[in-house]
Amino acid sequence: MRHNCISISLVSLFLLLALLAGCSGQQRRYVIGVSQCSDDEWREQMNREITREALFYPEAEVVFRSAGDDNKRQIHDIELLMRNKVDLLVVSPNEADVLTPVIEKAYSKGIPVILVDRKIHSNQYTAYIGADNYAIGYNVGEYIASRLQGKGRVVEVTGLRGSTPAAERHRGMTDALREYPDIRVTASVDAGWRRDRARLVFDSLLTHAPEIDMVFAHNDRMAAGAYEAAVKYGREKEMLFVGIDALAGEGYGVEQVASGQLDATFIYPTGGDRVMQTAMAILTGKPYEHDVALSSALVNKGNARVMRMQTGQIRQLDEKIDMLDKRINHFLTRYASQRILLYTCVVMLALFGIALFVAVRGFWTKNRLNVELSEQKKQLEAQRDQLISLSKQLEEATHAKLAFFTNVSHDFRTPLTLIADPVDQLEASRNLDEHERFLLRIVHKNVTVLLRLVNQILDFRKFESGKLKMYLSEFDIAGEMNEWTEAFRTLSYRKHVHFSVSAAPSDEGYTMIADAGKLERITYNLLSNAFKFTPENGRVELALSQFEHGGTRWLRYQVSDTGVGISAEHVQHIFERFYQIDVHYAGSGIGLALVKAFTEMHGGTVKVDSAEGKGTIFTVEMPMKQAGTLAEGLEKQAVPASLKEGAVLSAGQGTVQASPEAGEDDRRETVLVIDDNQDVRDYVRLLLEREYRVLEASNGQEGLQQAMKYVPDAIICDVMMPVMDGMECCRRLKSEVQTSHIPVMMLTAYTMDEQKVQGYECGADSYILKPFSAKLLQVRLRNLIDNRRRLQSFFADRSALKQESISEVDKGFVEKLRELIEARLGDAGLSVEDLGGELGLGRVQLYRKSKALTGYSPNELLRIARLKRAASLLASTDKTIAEITYEVGFSAPSYFTKCYKDYFGESPTDFLKRMKNEE
């Protein structure tokens, strides 16, 4: 009986264990495919982090593939992973253009895709994890400006041009250096992320680059390659080397900074742990972030040693983790063997004691594994705390640099003052002619803008350090607001913007106690922002009102506009310091940050409501009465007149100055100047107005309208403009039949060959760099117009049409015009309006295009064609002069005779007599 009970118990235990084994076997298994574009040390670090984090997810299996910088190979890897039916793809695309289709294919099949480090030209992916490459590039640009003290020559060694990190880092650096015109990027070479290639291209560059102050490489490996090339020529001491990645270990970024090979490097985190965490969140249906931005920081001589120590400790921890991982695998293997032994023993009806021992042994093993994993987690948390401490140290270094920048801004004020006062005195002189006075006004305006920016930076720094004070006074905000906004009236007239200021009726009035100077600065910054982004015929409104809040009276005033609006992506960041929405608009990115700072000093709030294309509303709310002592004997801290003028200048974009339509007898050429800077337009007009008729437009869209209307002889167009930039404007001009023949000269502050290539692809005829020489601008413009004049022999010589280098649009226009004239040659009532209607052009447009391409007006072309046909008929037929006159479309024989003699030098009668005598 006892043996039967034991047998039943053993069988029951066997069935229970079999059931548990069956349940564990039914647990969902996930396969995650990782496709790396390369196999460098940075990606090896990421793979190790993914593998280490995967230890916490036993239900997941990770498969790694590396393409070795080969697009075709990576496409093959992704296709293979899809065929193997992975549950999720992690991809670091080699080049965005080439890899986008296959990634979209995987996404369309329902496979979640996580992009790591690099993006694609599509939004068809599940999540993105990586650092902000644009921000890193921008930080590098600011570091270059700081190290070179605003002046020097820089060489950029880029990663693979087709990869998004290379493009974004390049764009971030150039945007940062735009504020430092004395820093020139003399060369930008593609080294494809590789050390050996960077050594080769930089070696070639050194042979014809006598002066280089700094080399910025898109990763530490390329920086090391450039450094080795410089050592070869003994020039490594002449220049500073900056890289990105900051990997720890012998021969990597941190070690290179510590040894002095690199001046600095920027941390580019791998984020392998975040990749694995996000992947499992997606697979298990948990919440996850769509875009995970990993933070970066500067590593230089000051913190490289600390970084090396910290990373050394981290590396030791990594080694211990790897050792623990091996032990865990060993334990798991042993555990699996013991389970098999247990099942075998149960099947063979082994002794109950042995089976129980194995079960207990398995339980102890599991507990030990849990303890070891817990210890491992604690170590990882300690590692995280160390990284947080390092981040704080980097933050302190950032504040130190900002303090240095503030001190430099202080130093700017003295020379600016010394410039502004002599300029004011020169403007008052009576010995200046109008040209000299105009140039002085430009200097005065831009000195004012610089002084305003310096003062705003100093105020913001005071606010951050808690040293900005409030000077309270009692005043009528409604009355003061009318005075503060007066400076914007002229701007509103000039831009054709409807501007209104209103105050809601209030029995208690609008007397308040506050810092009037700071409220005035808030007003100016908000209005400057509104006018900057509001096009012609738009509306800007400032409205005051009051409301009750917490038993006290509060002031609310709103600045609204009908401008271009702000997207939801940017709205949440616009009050951050140095944040800029659009590189096409100039600005320091600190004005709105000051608005928020001054508002918070008054215990108030500021918010913004906006949408793209629907305008923007800024709402400021604050108590009417501020607690504190009034500043006795102190005038209200009003904005200086120079700052008022500067605010209005920075907000204004200028207006289109349209000239009347040119008459057919006016022989001066017409030049259209398209630039969003009023001073630039005024200066170019001053250079050209004696020789040319000058039209103006403040952006590409207005410029396109002007060109379609007036058909100028040449166009000078800026590249960076709001609404429509210069590249798009040029492309549109060259695709329209009315304007395709017009030569276009592009103005740009960039020296990058990529932008020039893009401009020429859009159809630009010439480039000129800012700042430009007046003589160079005039000579190049004259050459463009003269070269176009050489095309005017088309109508006289049909074969030349195929030989000259003009666009297909212009060739088609000339052929169609010739065919129309020949088809209706005998129609005496044929007019220029009739020809224009057939070609889809107005009378003036047809006149100017015909004149530009052939050298003749449409009437002249028609008359010449009729005379040539008449000469042919006189020589080949027996028709009378009167018959030929009406056949070729002349209304009277006498007029035909006069025109014939003027063109051929003899009358029709004389021609017939000469023909008869020759016979």
Side-chain angles (χ1 to χ4, degrees), residues 699-736:
N699 59 60
Q701 182 172 309
E702 294 174 355
L704 185 61
Q705 295 171 353
Q706 293 285 86
M708 297 283 285
K709 182 177 181 181
Y710 297 112
V711 193
D713 295 280
I715 295 174
I716 300 174
C717 182
D718 189 20
V719 173
M720 306 300 289
M721 293 183 295
V723 185
M724 180 190 292
D725 63 22
M727 297 295 183
E728 177 64 16
C729 179
C730 182
R731 187 188 65 78
R732 295 277 296 275
L733 286 168
K734 292 299 182 178
S735 64
E736 296 290 342

Side-chain angles (χ1 to χ4, degrees), residues 2 4 71 87 109 114 274 297 304 508 518 651 743 763 811 856:
R2 182 177 177 183
N4 291 336
N71 290 327
D87 298 288
K109 287 187 174 182
I114 298 178
R274 294 299 299 274
E508 300 181 6
K518 290 180 176 55
K811 289 180 181 179
Y856 299 101

Side-chain angles (χ1 to χ4, degrees), residues 773-790:
S773 160
K775 186 65 175 176
L776 177 62
L777 176 70
Q778 292 168 326
V779 170
R780 191 167 291 181
L781 179 63
R782 172 46 57 194
N783 287 341
L784 282 177
I785 295 177
D786 289 346
N787 288 338
R788 183 60 64 176
R789 291 287 181 257
R790 296 191 184 100

Side-chain angles (χ1 to χ4, degrees), residues 101 170 388 453 470 657:
H170 167 76
I388 291 174
L453 292 175
M470 295 259 289
Q657 296 186 1

